[in-house]
Amino acid sequence: MGKKIDDIQIAVLAAKAGYDYSALKAIIDVESGGIGFAPDTGKIIIQFEPAWFKRKSPYTPSGKWSLNGVERQHGEWIAFNEAFRLNPQAAMESTSIGMMQVMGFHYKLLGFKTVGEMWDYARISEANQVELAIRFIKSNPKLDRAVKNKDWTTVAFYYNGAGYKKFNYDHRLLQAWQKAERATKK
């Protein structure tokens, strides 16, 4: 099996977890645009979160840290690498990874002994990245139920936190789900 995941694999993972394909596909599409590795570099997609890093490490953010965004992977990696040089553990814990953008600080919850072990698992394949997200979803009964019921407001709250409204996350999930539903009916 290669690094990339296809729709059949997503459907299998969704069914195994008790989710509709379209629900899982919606989260994938909103979180990363449907990719787990940058096409130009092959590196895992990341989003370094300076606010989380500041909670875990005493360092002041660099100006480079404000230029990042998941859509600008080059900037993400500059910010991450700088933080990693300061405190590797805090940098990995303060970064969301892969096509489902699971935060590194969840590594214990997801069954890993170290955050590095979680990162190594995610680097193997997009299927592993989706599996991480399913573990995360399953760890919270309210989130699990919301994904099953396609309750996008609740999914948005538990998957992305209380600030989800700022990014219209619930509406974006609904639209992505509707798009996936239409595609499956063709």
Side-chain angles (χ1 to χ4, degrees):
M1 183 186 309
K3 281 188 152 192
K4 300 295 288 172
I5 194 170
D6 61 30
D7 287 333
I8 293 170
Q9 291 169 301
I10 294 170
V12 168
L13 287 170
K16 183 178 167 187
Y19 306 134
D20 289 342
Y21 160 83
S22 298
L24 191 58
K25 180 75 169 150
I27 299 169
I28 290 169
D29 287 349
V30 170
E31 283 298 322
S32 67
I35 61 170
F37 299 97
D40 57 338
T41 65
K43 290 182 179 180
I44 193 169
I45 297 292
I46 65 168
Q47 172 95 37
F48 173 65
E49 303 283 355
W52 283 104
F53 186 79
K54 287 191 295 187
R55 294 178 192 179
K56 298 178 172 293
S57 187
Y59 302 103
T60 304
S62 156
K64 296 173 189 170
W65 296 7
S66 63
L67 303 174
N68 64 342
V70 74
E71 68 284 354
R72 294 180 299 279
Q73 284 297 294
H74 179 73
E76 285 295 324
W77 279 98
I78 289 171
F80 172 79
N81 287 333
E82 183 175 287
F84 189 87
R85 281 189 293 278
L86 297 171
N87 186 327
Q89 177 82 15
M92 287 188 291
E93 287 184 19
S94 303
T95 302
S96 57
I97 59 173
M99 70 187 320
M100 302 288 282
Q101 291 294 286
V102 176
M103 287 297 294
F105 61 75
H106 292 302
Y107 72 93
K108 287 181 187 174
L109 177 71
L110 304 179
F112 297 95
K113 291 178 184 159
T114 68
V115 68
E117 186 180 282
M118 178 182 145
W119 273 64
D120 289 344
Y121 181 78
R123 283 186 185 121
I124 293 170
S125 69
E126 290 175 343
N128 283 11
Q129 295 168 20
V130 173
E131 180 61 38
L132 286 178
I134 290 171
R135 289 183 195 183
F136 174 70
I137 294 165
K138 293 285 185 194
S139 74
N140 181 329
K142 291 178 182 178
L143 177 57
D144 181 52
R145 189 170 37 258
V147 172
K148 288 176 180 172
N149 294 333
K150 295 150 202 91
D151 174 356
W152 300 118
T153 300
T154 302
V155 171
F157 177 80
Y158 285 108
Y159 204 92
N160 270 59
Y164 74 88
K165 289 181 182 183
K166 178 180 173 185
F167 300 104
N168 227 6
Y169 191 70
D170 54 338
H171 295 290
R172 290 173 42 221
L173 283 167
L174 173 63
Q175 291 170 341
W177 173 74
Q178 289 170 333
K179 180 181 175 185
E181 280 287 288
R182 284 191 301 272
T184 60
K185 292 186 171 132
K186 288 183 179 182

